[in-house]
Amino acid sequence: MSKTEQTLSIIKPDAVERNLIDEIKKIFLSNNLEIKDSKKIHITKDEAAEFYKVHQSKPFYSDLCAYLSSGPILVMVLEGKNAVALNRELMGATDPKAAGENTIRKLYGISIDKNSVHGSDSLDNAKKEINFFFQN
Ligand code: CMP
């Protein structure tokens, strides 16, 4: 059974910098995901560290936080049937080299760090990540 969900999507600095926002939004919209909220922001390294704290024990954590705070990003709430899994399918594998044809990371990703987009990996994390950026 498919259910309507919300998930968090981030268009990362490498894609914002290359003016890919509209191209990436088009992929979501043409795959039945609605953009319920969005904002362009530039976060601090401390905010990135808080957002990515599940990765704090990883060797790439510091670079990851420096990168996400290196320039403007677009944060979006996507909504649709099975939005969490659908967004991850549309993004493709974390490493653009391993991503499937026509996925966002295959089309636009530069490297495992500059992989153009982030998407929540579970419904539980989607709720936490949406709340992190969009507190009402
Ligand atoms: P993202 O989906 O935003 O979640 C964490 C990010 O860490 C991931 O995308 C990658 O951009 C980045 N990263 C860098 N190195 C690695 C790695 N070895 N494995 C997984 N993610 C990595």
Side-chain angles (χ1 to χ4, degrees):
M1 272 285 286
S2 59
K3 51 190 180 328
T4 299
E5 297 172 348
Q6 290 193 335
T7 190
L8 184 88
S9 169
I10 303 178
I11 302 184
K12 296 186 181 183
D14 66 273
V16 172
E17 190 177 271
R18 288 177 290 147
N19 296 313
L20 293 170
I21 288 177
D22 287 346
E23 296 302 314
I24 294 173
K25 277 184 175 175
K26 255 186 239 165
I27 294 175
F28 294 137
L29 296 173
S30 64
N31 283 279
N32 303 313
L33 287 171
E34 274 182 68
I35 299 168
K36 298 298 278 188
D37 209 344
S38 76
K39 60 183 177 185
K40 199 186 213 182
I41 53 177
H42 190 161
I43 61 172
T44 64
K45 191 172 180 195
D46 283 352
E47 287 167 330
E50 182 62 23
F51 177 74
Y52 272 135
K53 72 171 183 261
V54 291
H55 294 299
Q56 65 191 344
S57 62
K58 312 268 173 63
F60 55 84
Y61 180 61
S62 178
D63 286 348
L64 174 63
C65 300
Y67 175 60
L68 197 72
S69 57
S70 67
I73 57 174
L74 188 82
V75 290
M76 290 175 287
V77 178
L78 303 181
E79 186 178 289
K81 296 268 168 63
N82 293 321
V84 174
L86 177 56
N87 180 36
R88 290 182 69 77
E89 199 180 306
L90 296 174
M91 289 194 300
T94 307
D95 186 347
K97 289 203 290 284
E101 289 306 317
N102 290 318
T103 60
I104 296 170
R105 285 167 169 162
K106 179 73 168 188
L107 291 169
Y108 305 121
I110 296 169
S111 64
I112 197 164
D113 304 294
K114 297 184 175 180
N115 63 355
S116 302
V117 280
H118 166 84
S120 312
D121 65 359
S122 66
L123 196 53
D124 196 37
N125 281 335
K127 286 177 183 143
K128 289 181 192 153
E129 293 184 354
I130 289 169
N131 195 47
F132 183 86
F133 286 112
F134 298 94
Q135 301 96 340
N136 291 310

